[in-house]
């Protein structure tokens, strides 16, 4: 009984598509990251780009730049230019219950948005047609087509559907789409379209008369002349390629072609299977056939066929005019085929001559390898193509065009000086997103927006440059600019040719398109960070940087993973919480609240000390001491804090409620409980505004909250009334007259927001003569309603939504529902979230239970009306309230007025963020390419936090910790937050194969390989060594482990040593060999100013092994190691002479991919890459390895580990089909499943009972074995591991790591669960498994108690049937594994709960929250605790207590 949850979303881009999706004029990019679908818009900003003429101009991308920064060329810098740059802006994202295999665009007759529709194909032959719904600001499903159960005749030897990749191809004129699924089947989906535009292209009214009305084309059975259809598609049908031509036995690729009257596609196929070993007999086995499709008759007709093509061709690329035809891509060559069947080919390496007899132009000097490459046309009207190799290198493919015929083609490589080496790894997809802009997705490195310019055109038509005003204009976060795309006219100088050179007629003339070798220059506009592919993970705890402030503890644990491949290889650190970098600390005794003030007194923009006006000048604090409330003010100086002791500032006036500035930063406003005071830049008192008469001051309602937006101040008082004041030009505050509605009170909270970009588009009916900006007032009523006022008009609200407390998914003014299930909302805040590229406003709500609810504003037209109405879209937020055992700041926690409010920070290291203070403090951070993420801080609790910008702590913050110390801190440098974790990439520029953490020295050991010229060794006994610390040429690190090994047989002394297992690559004709290295890390004198260099490797032992050493593990209690070497697993001990003595072994079968021991038990898990997983036991007296059990079926093991759960022992195995198998070892299993062990594993006993001698068994069992309980016949007395459950994941699992249980919660063993939270576990926190994937995501497998499993299974069933599923996919079907044994699977008895569904329980309206009626879970509060425990985010559970 476990719960599977993805902790971070996938980051590797697998598919991309550019189309007008949100509207007919929009320019959107849709990308897929396996099971994550994201929709982007493109935004133009001005960035600084550095010009370089140095020899080294490789684009070094630092993914940890500050938000909004761009990549810069390294080399000899000449100047910095302000250049228009294209940035990506995330509009929406959806977690899918399926794996995307392809994306395609379809133009339908009528869509809700006016744009085109999106076709998404998924694994197992599913196709979903969706459109954008402006009313809901979300995708809307039109139809879903399933072909996985299609009853078509298949050969007995035909592979299963799951073993074949299904993909889409769409006719360029959107007349139909074809899904290739199975081995050789096509599913055709016709679409209704207007009359054939191609026929009317040559229409002449003088000759042909009156132009006929366009007709709608239909599929079979369509009604002629009908202009409106119920659905945009017709009935689909499935055809077999063998029905067209019996020779289509092995189709390779299918793609629709351009410029054909009827839907026509090209098929690349072979009649016989291709084989490299049979090249002398089967050299040119592929054929290419062009087939036209008759949708009316459902018939296929071959137009032309080309045979004897090279065997290694793998893709068909349709080309638009002026080139036309199609490009066939092979591993060693490129071949162009025009509409008449004329071919032109180019050989790109020396292997083409030996692998094919096809006539090819010789460019073998390029030395390209086209496997994994991608080709994209450089613009819709360009006659050149961009070739992106698997190494990331760029090349231009040019064509000689004579009229409409291609007479030749050639390839030229883009030099590094022109950006030819900007990409670090190969592409997975590419999409043309605009003029001179191409999005390149990658699974091995960061995905980028690649831009190019023509050097000649730039010299001819470059404008002088853009001014500052233009930069300010494009940088404003206007949602209309984002949705409508970019005006390409501004980019003509940079990206495009002169208009006289863009005409297709000139491109159609005979032109030598490949004489210029340096006419293109490429640069990166924007990046999507990719943290995958993750291949290994280790848990470490690095040392705190020396430059950090003293006394702030260590840096905290972190996850270190291997990420990237090739030149993009490196390491990535994952931290669950933000660890602030403390710059300096100060002491203000008994301070409870804090504000910083940036004030200006001079009109020249300088402060009184001549510093820039954006630096903070003062700190105001609210102090509570022995029941007395007072205020204090301090001046920020370079030496520290100096208290302001001016007689105008009265510390005894009371505690400060809020502080801010008005009148363009020239007036300081101090809000006290019963009055307001204003000061000038020198803290001279300017004005006192009492809120009541002096006689009634004690009984007058006090201020509990204030909000600033120049020139207004909003005050919320404890009697649920509000007051609004406005500053005039002289800085004097005056009360704004209120309407009758506001005088009736009933307001719980409120805030002000200056809508400078007019996102809300709310206009007051009464216009104010004195323009004070577009300031809006948001009020939260006692009944849970929302009212918005356009200031200064307080007579009538301009927007009202009374159903806010119901928390609907879409909030509209007309929404209302009669329900008692309302959320107790206590706070409202409207603030911008994002970075310099894009920072839209969000409506943030805080409930009485400390939950956060986020709403995003958008506009939608009501049916039948033309005017757009403001709506709010609920943003999914998987944040759950975390209780804490830490002492509370205040005696009365239930008093909302004493709870510190949320703080909006406008510049936090480039981010516009919101901070949530309290016992579980957290930041809400967002970048332009990610949704809002809530990340907790390691420092707990934080009483108060405010922004801070000083010369020592720029764009940082100041906060009060638990000890009352005021710390000036910054966000961790070089970190990203788009995954909801704090991540930092450490680039190596090389492949990283293995890593581990060495705890005594707090260092990581990494195995890295470099590419060198390969030479087959002539003699096996003469390897080439470089040094004692470097491996031989051709030697690859397979595994690195830190082990506590015994180094002396006499003293039995142990040391934590580094054990490295390697494999020697020696060619196909020589047997594999390997080595085992044992290193110690010793201290040495560090280099000057580099204390981290005070460690070096010392070689302790080196052992030559017959066979590759593929896996390593520590074993037993005597300090031995277990190594998987070749087809054996061998236990070895380190001798004093530096040799590794074998003491026990076990014969394996094919290739041992994983070896692990359950620490302290002697139980060993051995995974075979072909056969399955074995469970063995290690005996120390005598030394032996004994097989206990094996998997009941063959499993292609990629990763595996133990999962102890109380007295049960499970083995979790990941296979090559993206499935997770949970196996159980229970040799004495009988109903009701008693435990085979008389203790809990693995903490309470060094070895399990099965490995102890017979004398250790109970006396009655030794005397009478017949007393043993009857065993389950399925386990064969334990010889077969019992299949507990099997479930499917979105991607492969690269590693599984057993995490140690976090420290027990202080109240877990002594305090029983509260009646409101009966499901909270009172036992020790369980072990959890951390799973990594090549897509860059982290997942967690958490054991569940029976009661928690029942609750979450019921919740999963409820959510699966009530929540809308993107693309109408079934989450239960997605997790189900076909062929799994009865009782296995997600959500079934003793199965695995899908945490991706369970964590969405708050997405629906408040009335749909399961558990609202109380019952067994104890209401919503109890359910919140159960869900948090199951997802591993509860108190002390999962990673929360560990990281």
């Amino acid at each position: 009984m476990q719960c599977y949850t993805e902790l971070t979303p996938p980051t590797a881009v697998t598919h991309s598509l550019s189309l007008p999706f949100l509207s007919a004029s929009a320019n959107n990019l849709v990308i897929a990251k396996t099971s994550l679908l994201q929709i982007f818009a493109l935004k133009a900003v001005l960035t600084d780009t550095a010009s370089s003429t140095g020899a080294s101009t490789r684009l070094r991308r630092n993914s940890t730049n500050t938000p909004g920064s761009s990549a810069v060329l390294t080399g000899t810098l000449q100047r910095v230019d302000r250049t228009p740059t294209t940035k990506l802006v995330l509009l929406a994202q959806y977690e899918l219950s399926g794996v995307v295999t392809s994306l395609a665009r379809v133009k339908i007759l009528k869509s809700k948005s006016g744009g085109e529709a999106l076709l998404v194909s998924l694994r197992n032959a599913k196709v979903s047609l969706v459109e954008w719904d402006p009313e809901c600001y979300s995708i809307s499903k039109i139809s879903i087509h399933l072909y996985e159960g299609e009853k078509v005749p298949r050969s007995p030897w035909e592979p299963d559907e799951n073993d074949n990749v299904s993909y889409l191809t769409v006719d360029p004129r959107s007349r139909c789409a074809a899904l290739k699924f199975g081995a050789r089947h096509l599913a055709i989906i016709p679409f209704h379209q207007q009359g054939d535009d191609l026929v009317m292209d040559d229409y002449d009214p003088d000759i042909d008369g009156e132009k006929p009305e366009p007709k709608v084309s239909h599929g079979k059975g369509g009604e002629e002349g009908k202009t409106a259809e119920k659905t945009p598609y017709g009935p689909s049908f499935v055809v077999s390629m063998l029905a067209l031509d019996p020779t289509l036995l092995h189709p390779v690729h299918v793609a629709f072609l351009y410029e054909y009257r009827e839907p026509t596609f090209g098929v690349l196929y072979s009649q016989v299977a291709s084989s490299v070993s049979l090249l002398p007999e089967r050299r040119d086995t592929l054929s290419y056939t062009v087939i036209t499709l008759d949708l009316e008759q459902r018939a296929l007709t071959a137009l032309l066929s080309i045979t004897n093509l090279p065997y290694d061709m793998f893709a068909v690329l349709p080309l638009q005019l002026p080139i036309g035809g199609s490009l066939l891509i092979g591993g060693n060559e490129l071949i162009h085929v025009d509409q008449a069947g004329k071919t032109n080919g180019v050989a790109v390496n020396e292997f083409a001559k030996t692998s094919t007899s096809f006539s090819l132009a010789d460019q073998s000097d390029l030395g390209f390898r086209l496997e994994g490459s991608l080709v994209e046309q450089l613009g819709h009207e360009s006659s050149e193509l961009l070739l992106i190799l698997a190494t990331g290198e760029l090349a231009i493919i040019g064509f000689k065009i004579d009229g409409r015929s291609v007479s030749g083609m050639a390839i030229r490589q883009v030099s590094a000086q022109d950006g030819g080496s900007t990409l670090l790894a190969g592409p997975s997809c590419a999409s043309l997103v605009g003029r001179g802009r191409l999005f390149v997705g990658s699974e091995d490195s960061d995905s980028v927006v690649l831009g190019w310019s023509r050097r000649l055109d730039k010299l001819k038509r470059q404008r002088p440059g853009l001014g500052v005003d233009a930069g300010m204009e494009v940088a404003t976060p206007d949602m209309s600019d984002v949705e409508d795309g970019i005006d390409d006219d501004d980019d003509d100088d940079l990206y495009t040719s002169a208009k006289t050179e863009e005409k297709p007629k000139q491109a159609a003339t005979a032109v030598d398109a490949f004489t210029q070798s340096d006419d293109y220059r490429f640069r990166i506009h924007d990046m999507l960070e990719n943290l995958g592919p993750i291949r290994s993970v280790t848990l470490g705890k690095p040392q705190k940087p020396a430059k950090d402030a003293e006394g702030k503890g260590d840096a905290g644990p972190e996850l270190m993973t291997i990420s990237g491949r090739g030149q993009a290889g490196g390491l990535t650190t994952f931290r669950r919480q933000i660890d602030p970098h403390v710059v300096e600390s100060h002491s203000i005794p008994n301070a409870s609240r804090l504000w910083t003030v940036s004030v200006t007194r001079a009109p020249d923009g300088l402060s009184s000390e001549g510093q820039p006006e954006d630096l903070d000048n003062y700190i105001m604090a609210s102090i509570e001491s022995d029941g007395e409330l007072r205020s204090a003010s301090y001046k920020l100086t370079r030496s520290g804090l100096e208290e302001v002791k001016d007689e105008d500032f009265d510390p005894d006036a009371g505690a400060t409620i809020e502080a801010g500035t008005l009148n363009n930063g020239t007036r300081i406003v101090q809000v006290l409980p019963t009055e307001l005071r204003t000061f000038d830049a020198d803290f001279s008192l300017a004005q006192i505004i009492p809120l009541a008469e002096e006689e009634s001051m004690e009984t007058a309602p006090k201020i509990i909250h204030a909000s600033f937006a120049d020139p207004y101040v909003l005050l919320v008082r404890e009697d649920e009334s509000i007051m609004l004041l406005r500053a005039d030009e002289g800085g004097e505050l005056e009360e704004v007259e209120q309407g009758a509605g506001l005088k009736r009170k009933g307001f719980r909270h409120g805030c002000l927001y200056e809508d400078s970009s007019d996102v809300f588009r709310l206009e007051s009916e009464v216009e104010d003569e004195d323009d004070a900006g577009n300031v809006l007032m948001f009020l939260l009523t006692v009944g849970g309603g929302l009212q918005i006022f356009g200031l200064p008009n307080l007579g009538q609200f301009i927007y009202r939504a009374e159903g806010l407390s119901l928390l609907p998914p879409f909030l509209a003014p007309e929404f209302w529902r009669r329900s008692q299930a309302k959320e107790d909302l206590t706070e409202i805040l409207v603030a911008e979230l994002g970075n310099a590229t894009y920072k839209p406003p969000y409506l943030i709500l805080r409930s009485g239970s400390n939950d956060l609810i986020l709403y995003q504003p958008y506009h939608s037209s009501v049916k039948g009306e033309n005017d757009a109405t403001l709506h709010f879209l609920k943003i999914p937020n998987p944040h759950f309230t975390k209780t804490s055992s830490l002492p509370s700041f205040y005696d009365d926690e239930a008093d909302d007025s004493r709870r510190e409010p949320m703080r909006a920070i406008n510049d936090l290291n480039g981010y516009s963020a919101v901070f949530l203070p309290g016992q579980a403090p957290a930041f809400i951070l967002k970048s332009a390419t990610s949704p809002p993420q809530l990340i907790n801080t390691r420092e707990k609790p934080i009483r108060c936090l405010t922004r801070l910008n000083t010369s020592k702590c720029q764009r940082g913050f100041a906060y009060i910790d638990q000890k009352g110390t005021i710390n000036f801190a910054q966000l961790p440098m070089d970190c990203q937050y788009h995954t909801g974790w704090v991540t930092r990439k450490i680039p190596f520029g090389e492949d990283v194969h293995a890593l581990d953490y060495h705890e005594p020295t707090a260092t990581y050991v990494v195995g890295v390989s470099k590419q060198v010229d390969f030479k087959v060794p002539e003699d096996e006994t003469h390897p080439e060594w470089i040094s004692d610390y470097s491996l031989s040429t051709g030697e690859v690190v397979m595994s690195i482990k830190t082990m506590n090994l015994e180094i002396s047989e006499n003293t039995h002394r142990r040391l934590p040593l580094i054990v490295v297992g390697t494999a020697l690559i020696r060619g196909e004709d020589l047997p594999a060999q390997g080595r085992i290295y044992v290193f110690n890390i010793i201290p040495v004198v560090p280099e000057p100013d580099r204390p981290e260099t005070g460690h070096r490797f010392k070689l302790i032992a080196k052992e030559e092994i017959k066979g590759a050493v593929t896996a390593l593990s520590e074993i037993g209690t005597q300090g031995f190691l277990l190594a998987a070497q070749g087809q054996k697993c061998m236990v070895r001990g380190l001798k004093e002479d530096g040799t590794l003595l074998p003491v026990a072994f076990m014969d394996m079968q094919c290739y041992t991919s994983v070896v692990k021991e359950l620490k302290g038990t002697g139980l060993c898990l051995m995974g075979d890459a072909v056969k399955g997983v074995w469970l063995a036991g290690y005996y120390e007296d005598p030394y032996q390895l004994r097989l206990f059990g094996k998997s009941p079926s063959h499993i292609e093991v990629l990763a595996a580990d133990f999962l102890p759960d109380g007295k049960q022992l499970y083995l979790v195995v990941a296979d090559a089909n993206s499935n997770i198998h949970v196996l159980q070892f229970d040799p004495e299993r009988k109903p009701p499943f008693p435990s085979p062990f008389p203790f809990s594993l693995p903490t309470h006993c060094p070895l399990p009972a099965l490995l102890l001698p017979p004398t250790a068994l109970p006396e009655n069992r030794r005397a009478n074995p017949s007393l043993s309980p009857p065993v389950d016949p399925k386990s064969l007395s334990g010889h077969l591991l019992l299949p507990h459950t099997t479930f499917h994941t979105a991607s492969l699992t690269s590693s599984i790591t057993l995490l140690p249980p976090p420290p027990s919660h202080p109240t877990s063993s002594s305090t029983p669960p509260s009646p409101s939270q009966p499901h909270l576990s009172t036992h020790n926190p369980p072990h959890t498994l951390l799973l990594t994937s090549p897509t860059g995501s982290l997942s967690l497998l958490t054991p569940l108690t029976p009661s928690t499993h029942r609750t979450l299974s019921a919740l999963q069933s409820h959510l699966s049937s009530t929540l809308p599923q993107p693309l109408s996919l079934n989450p239960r079907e997605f997790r189900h594994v076909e062929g799994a044994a009865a009782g296995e699977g997600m959500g079934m008895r003793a199965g695995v709960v899908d945490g991706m569904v369970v964590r969405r329980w708050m997405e629906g309206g408040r009335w749909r929250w399961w558990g609202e009626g109380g019952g067994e879970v104890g209401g919503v509060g109890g359910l919140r605790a159960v869900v948090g425990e199951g997802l591993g985010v509860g108190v002390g559970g999962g990673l929360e207590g560990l990281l």
Side-chain angles (χ1 to χ4, degrees), residues 1025-1031 1077 1079 1097-1099 1102:
W1025 282 89
I1026 300 175
S1027 70
D1028 291 340
Y1029 302 99
S1030 299
L1031 304 180
Y1077 298 87
F1079 295 96
F1097 280 117
K1098 180 182 179 181
L1099 183 63
K1102 182 183 73 172

Side-chain angles (χ1 to χ4, degrees), residues 97-146:
S97 298
V99 178
V100 177
T101 59
S102 61
L103 302 172
R105 54 188 290 184
V106 176
K107 181 180 294 185
I108 58 179
L109 289 178
K110 185 178 180 181
S111 65
K112 295 180 180 179
S113 64
E116 297 185 6
L118 175 66
L119 265 178
V120 183
S121 71
L122 301 106
R123 194 181 294 171
N124 297 333
K126 295 184 180 70
V127 179
S128 183
L129 179 64
V130 296
E131 62 180 342
W132 183 259
D133 188 356
E135 185 174 352
C136 298
Y137 203 75
S138 176
I139 59 175
S140 175
K141 184 264 301 181
I142 299 177
S143 65
I144 184 170
H145 308 265
L146 308 177

Side-chain angles (χ1 to χ4, degrees), residues 1244-1383:
H1244 301 296
C1245 184
L1247 290 175
L1250 290 175
L1251 305 185
L1252 297 177
T1255 55
L1257 296 176
E1259 183 177 355
N1260 59 343
R1261 292 282 301 277
R1262 298 200 307 267
N1264 188 3
S1266 62
L1267 295 178
S1268 301
V1271 299
D1272 191 338
K1274 292 183 179 180
S1275 67
L1276 298 180
S1277 298
H1279 291 293
L1280 290 182
L1281 301 174
L1282 294 173
H1284 182 68
T1285 185
T1286 304
F1287 63 97
H1288 186 70
T1289 60
S1291 62
L1292 298 175
T1293 300
S1294 56
S1295 70
I1296 301 179
T1297 305
L1298 178 64
L1299 298 177
S1304 301
H1305 194 264
T1307 61
S1308 61
S1309 58
S1310 59
T1311 305
S1314 62
S1316 62
Q1317 299 178 350
H1319 282 245
L1320 278 178
S1321 301
T1322 57
H1323 61 277
N1324 292 331
H1327 292 76
T1328 54
L1329 286 180
L1330 181 68
L1331 293 79
T1332 63
S1333 72
T1335 61
S1337 64
L1338 301 178
S1339 304
L1340 197 68
L1341 192 66
T1342 308
L1344 303 177
T1345 62
S1347 60
T1348 301
H1349 183 269
R1350 287 193 302 268
T1351 301
L1352 295 184
S1353 296
L1355 177 61
Q1356 174 184 336
S1357 300
H1358 169 75
L1359 296 177
S1360 299
S1361 58
T1362 57
L1363 288 180
Q1365 303 296 334
L1367 308 186
S1368 298
L1369 300 176
N1370 188 346
R1372 185 184 295 273
E1373 180 188 12
F1374 171 59
R1375 298 299 184 185
H1376 174 70
V1377 178
E1378 187 176 356

Side-chain angles (χ1 to χ4, degrees), residues 711-725:
Y712 299 99
V713 181
L714 172 65
L715 306 177
V716 181
R717 293 183 284 194
E718 58 184 1
D719 64 343
E720 299 175 353
S721 64
I722 68 165
M723 177 181 291
L724 184 69
L725 295 94

Side-chain angles (χ1 to χ4, degrees), residues 108-441:
I108 58 179
L109 289 178
K110 185 178 180 181
S111 65
K112 295 180 180 179
S113 64
E116 297 185 6
L118 175 66
L119 265 178
V120 183
S121 71
L122 301 106
R123 194 181 294 171
N124 297 333
K126 295 184 180 70
V127 179
S128 183
L129 179 64
V130 296
E131 62 180 342
W132 183 259
D133 188 356
E135 185 174 352
C136 298
Y137 203 75
S138 176
I139 59 175
S140 175
K141 184 264 301 181
I142 299 177
S143 65
I144 184 170
H145 308 265
L146 308 177
Y147 301 99
E148 53 185 340
E150 203 63 38
K151 295 182 179 180
V152 293
R154 291 188 175 91
S155 303
W157 54 85
E158 187 173 323
D160 189 72
E161 289 183 359
N162 297 332
D163 298 329
N164 294 279
V165 178
S166 59
Y167 58 89
L168 272 173
T169 177
V170 177
D171 174 57
R173 296 175 56 202
S174 300
R175 291 169 291 189
C176 66
L179 174 69
K180 163 65 174 59
F181 71 99
R184 53 187 67 88
H185 292 94
L186 287 177
I188 308 298
I189 307 176
F191 293 96
H192 303 299
Q193 297 294 341
Q194 295 292 337
D196 198 337
D197 296 333
L198 188 61
V199 178
M200 305 305 297
D201 283 346
D202 55 353
Y203 170 76
D204 189 346
D206 297 333
I207 301 176
D208 300 328
E210 184 179 356
K211 186 175 182 178
E213 292 293 332
K215 298 180 180 180
V216 178
S217 60
H218 306 273
K220 185 177 179 179
E223 183 179 347
E224 189 74 19
K226 189 176 180 181
T227 59
E229 295 288 339
K230 295 182 179 179
T231 60
Y233 56 89
S236 63
F237 56 94
V238 177
V239 295
S240 174
M241 294 186 180
L242 294 179
L244 170 66
D245 189 346
T247 62
L248 290 174
L249 289 174
H250 304 280
V252 177
H253 194 240
V254 180
F256 276 99
L257 307 179
Y258 291 94
E259 304 302 324
Y260 280 92
R261 187 178 300 246
E262 297 292 337
T264 304
F265 56 87
V267 182
L268 187 64
Y269 68 96
S270 65
Q271 186 175 358
V272 295
S274 301
S275 175
V276 179
S277 60
L278 298 177
L279 277 182
E281 301 294 333
R282 301 178 182 178
R283 180 182 294 260
D284 297 324
T285 58
L286 292 185
S287 300
Y288 177 68
T289 300
V290 177
I291 302 171
T292 183
L293 174 62
D294 188 346
L295 295 177
E296 296 289 339
Q297 303 297 327
R298 298 187 177 182
L300 303 175
T301 304
L303 299 182
L304 61 89
S305 182
I306 301 174
T307 59
N308 299 328
L309 292 173
Y311 80 99
D312 59 348
M313 314 216 72
F314 57 86
V316 178
L317 176 66
L319 299 177
Q320 302 184 56
L321 290 179
I323 305 174
S326 58
L327 183 69
L328 308 183
I329 307 173
N332 306 315
E333 63 284 315
L334 295 172
I335 298 177
H336 177 265
V337 181
D338 63 10
Q339 291 187 347
K342 180 183 176 182
T343 62
N344 292 277
V346 175
V348 297
N349 56 45
E350 65 275 14
F351 299 106
K353 298 179 181 179
T354 60
S355 62
T356 181
S357 300
F358 197 84
S359 177
L360 300 171
D362 186 13
Q363 282 194 267
S364 58
D365 56 321
L366 293 172
F368 288 167
R369 297 181 180 181
L370 300 184
E371 292 86 357
S373 63
L374 191 143
V375 180
E376 188 69 26
Q377 199 162 351
L378 286 172
H380 299 297
E381 298 178 351
S382 175
S383 61
E384 293 178 314
L385 308 178
L386 177 65
L387 171 63
I388 308 175
L389 301 178
T391 59
E393 297 174 286
L394 304 179
I396 303 296
I397 304 175
F399 294 86
K400 277 187 175 181
I401 304 176
D402 297 328
R404 294 180 63 90
S405 176
V406 175
S407 59
M409 59 184 298
I411 305 173
R412 64 182 185 274
Q413 187 172 2
V414 181
S415 63
Q417 288 78 6
D418 293 331
S421 301
T422 56
L423 305 181
L424 300 180
S428 60
C429 58
S431 298
L432 196 65
V433 294
R435 187 179 301 170
R437 295 180 296 270
L438 179 72
F439 175 80
V440 182

Side-chain angles (χ1 to χ4, degrees), residues 393-555:
E393 297 174 286
L394 304 179
I396 303 296
I397 304 175
F399 294 86
K400 277 187 175 181
I401 304 176
D402 297 328
R404 294 180 63 90
S405 176
V406 175
S407 59
M409 59 184 298
I411 305 173
R412 64 182 185 274
Q413 187 172 2
V414 181
S415 63
Q417 288 78 6
D418 293 331
S421 301
T422 56
L423 305 181
L424 300 180
S428 60
C429 58
S431 298
L432 196 65
V433 294
R435 187 179 301 170
R437 295 180 296 270
L438 179 72
F439 175 80
V440 182
S442 178
E443 298 183 68
D444 299 330
S445 67
D446 297 337
S447 301
V448 302
V449 176
L450 188 65
W452 64 88
S453 60
R454 298 295 295 267
R455 178 177 301 178
L456 298 178
D457 298 334
K458 189 174 182 179
L459 293 176
K460 290 180 181 179
R461 304 179 59 241
Q462 188 175 31
R463 278 183 278 184
L466 298 177
V468 178
D469 295 338
M472 296 297 294
E473 182 178 354
V474 298
T476 55
D478 190 356
M479 296 183 66
S480 62
D481 292 343
V482 174
E483 295 180 2
D484 295 340
I486 307 169
D487 189 357
D488 291 334
D489 294 337
D490 293 338
D491 300 335
D492 287 346
D493 302 325
L494 181 65
Y495 299 116
T496 63
S497 305
K499 294 184 178 180
T500 58
E501 298 174 354
E502 293 177 356
K503 297 181 180 180
K505 292 183 179 180
Q506 291 190 3
T509 61
V511 177
D512 186 358
F514 34 87
T515 56
Q516 297 292 336
S517 60
D518 56 354
D519 55 346
Y520 282 96
R521 280 197 170 183
F522 294 87
R523 71 179 181 95
I524 291 178
H525 288 227
D526 201 3
M527 291 184 299
L528 295 180
E529 188 180 45
N530 178 21
L531 304 180
I534 299 177
R535 295 187 295 278
S536 182
V537 62
T538 185
L539 184 64
K541 191 175 182 181
Q543 296 177 346
K544 192 78 170 180
K547 61 182 180 180
D548 211 341
E550 297 181 359
K552 299 308 297 179
D554 53 31

Side-chain angles (χ1 to χ4, degrees), residues 985-1008:
K985 296 184 70 173
I986 306 173
F988 277 31
E990 299 165 350
D991 267 321
V992 182
H993 298 283
L995 86 156
D996 205 1
Y997 177 70
H998 190 256
E999 186 173 359
T1001 58
T1003 56
Y1004 292 96
V1005 183
V1006 183
V1008 182

Side-chain angles (χ1 to χ4, degrees), residues 52-96:
S52 173
T53 58
S56 176
T57 57
R58 179 169 185 81
L59 195 70
R60 297 293 182 184
R61 302 195 310 276
N62 185 359
S63 61
T64 58
N65 288 340
T66 56
S69 63
S70 60
V72 181
L73 289 171
T74 61
T76 304
L77 298 181
Q78 289 185 337
R79 64 181 184 276
V80 176
D81 300 329
R82 297 282 287 174
T83 308
T85 303
T86 300
K87 296 291 185 178
L88 295 176
V89 174
L90 180 66
L91 301 180
Q93 73 173 23
Y94 306 93
E95 296 177 350
L96 307 179

